[in-house]
Amino acid sequence: MKKYVCLCLLWLASAAPLAAVPAPLERLRVAFAPGAGNLSVLAAAPESLWRDHLGLPVEKVFCAGEEEQLTALAEGRVHIVASIRASKVLAAAARGQALRIVTVACRPRPGLAGHAAEDDELVSVTTGQFIMDHNDAVRAFMDAQADAAEWLERDGGAAALLARAAGLDAAQGEELRRGRSFSPQLTDKDFDALTRTQARQRALGLAGPQALRSLIYYRQLRLLTPS
């Protein structure tokens, strides 16, 4: 009887499907789009900053616009979209694309004269599957953006590089540096702005019923005030 039980257990173990092990990343492919409308400090950040965090090459993939960014992500041609309007992310999620907001890519600095509170912030996104398979790379991307935001503050020539990446002149780059925050951390104010964007998109029939928290990378949710 004991031998029979052992044979049954061995058969069950051999018949159980093995979890697929994701292939290791050879490089991280990040999608960017031109212009100030999809501004990302990482588009201008030096390569050394990427290497300090990732330990693998980064391939910058430049797309014509937001729809092309989302298509490239859905087709697996890129791993992360560096900067895209939150409304576009919500609309894609409503169409069934399994997206997660990883960072806030850019937002107006709070309380600065001449800048009112804005909805539809720029965010970076990836897929839920990529987070499951390569969570370390997603965390490294967050850290790289945090360092890039600090680099923009301390390096006198960084604003000019940011302007060049966005197709602007140096004076506009300095205005962006003073008027925008590139900190990746999601704050309660950011979450409120995303909530307003989602409500507006729902009213237009462009956002689905998903809870907003389900569309945000779990490490960012830890930073919010519990609801």
Side-chain angles (χ1 to χ4, degrees):
M1 180 66 180
K2 184 177 180 181
K3 182 178 180 181
Y4 173 77
V5 171
C6 291
L7 288 172
C8 288
L9 291 173
L10 286 171
W11 179 84
L12 288 171
S14 62
L18 296 176
V21 178
L25 280 181
E26 296 181 356
R27 62 181 62 243
L28 182 69
R29 297 190 297 273
V30 182
F32 295 88
N38 296 105
L39 194 63
S40 170
V41 69
L42 286 170
E47 294 298 325
S48 59
L49 187 148
W50 289 98
R51 289 196 301 269
D52 288 345
H53 290 286
L54 288 163
L56 73 163
V58 173
E59 180 182 347
K60 295 179 181 179
V61 179
F62 291 93
C63 300
E66 291 169 313
E67 291 301 327
E68 186 177 331
Q69 285 180 308
L70 289 170
T71 299
L73 187 62
E75 294 176 352
R77 291 186 281 117
V78 300
H79 302 120
I80 298 176
V81 171
S83 183
I84 186 172
R85 285 177 294 163
S87 60
K88 290 291 186 180
V89 175
L90 294 167
R95 297 193 297 267
Q97 199 166 347
L99 300 174
R100 297 293 182 272
I101 294 172
V102 177
T103 72
V104 177
C106 177
R107 91 266 288 154
R109 290 187 187 274
L112 189 67
H115 284 286
E118 288 185 8
D119 293 345
D120 208 0
E121 292 175 317
L122 293 173
V123 296
S124 68
V125 295
T126 187
T127 64
Q129 188 64 50
F130 188 74
I131 290 173
M132 290 177 60
D133 292 345
H134 302 288
N135 189 43
D136 287 349
V138 177
R139 293 171 61 181
F141 176 89
M142 292 177 62
D143 292 341
Q145 186 184 325
D147 273 8
E150 293 180 6
W151 162 77
L152 183 63
E153 294 294 329
R154 68 175 183 265
D155 190 313
L161 294 175
L162 179 66
R164 187 185 307 165
L168 304 172
D169 61 36
Q172 291 171 310
E174 180 59 27
E175 183 179 345
L176 285 173
R177 187 190 69 79
R178 290 186 286 106
R180 298 280 168 165
S181 168
F182 297 89
S183 171
Q185 293 186 355
L186 184 73
T187 68
D188 288 330
K189 287 185 177 180
D190 294 322
F191 189 82
D192 290 344
L194 291 171
T195 300
R196 291 190 295 269
T197 298
Q198 186 182 48
R200 185 173 66 250
Q201 292 295 100
R202 281 176 175 167
L204 296 171
L206 299 175
Q210 302 103 315
L212 181 58
R213 285 176 176 266
S214 71
L215 300 175
I216 296 173
Y217 181 38
Y218 69 90
R219 292 185 64 85
Q220 290 282 22
L221 292 177
R222 299 176 184 176
L223 304 174
L224 299 177
T225 302
S227 58

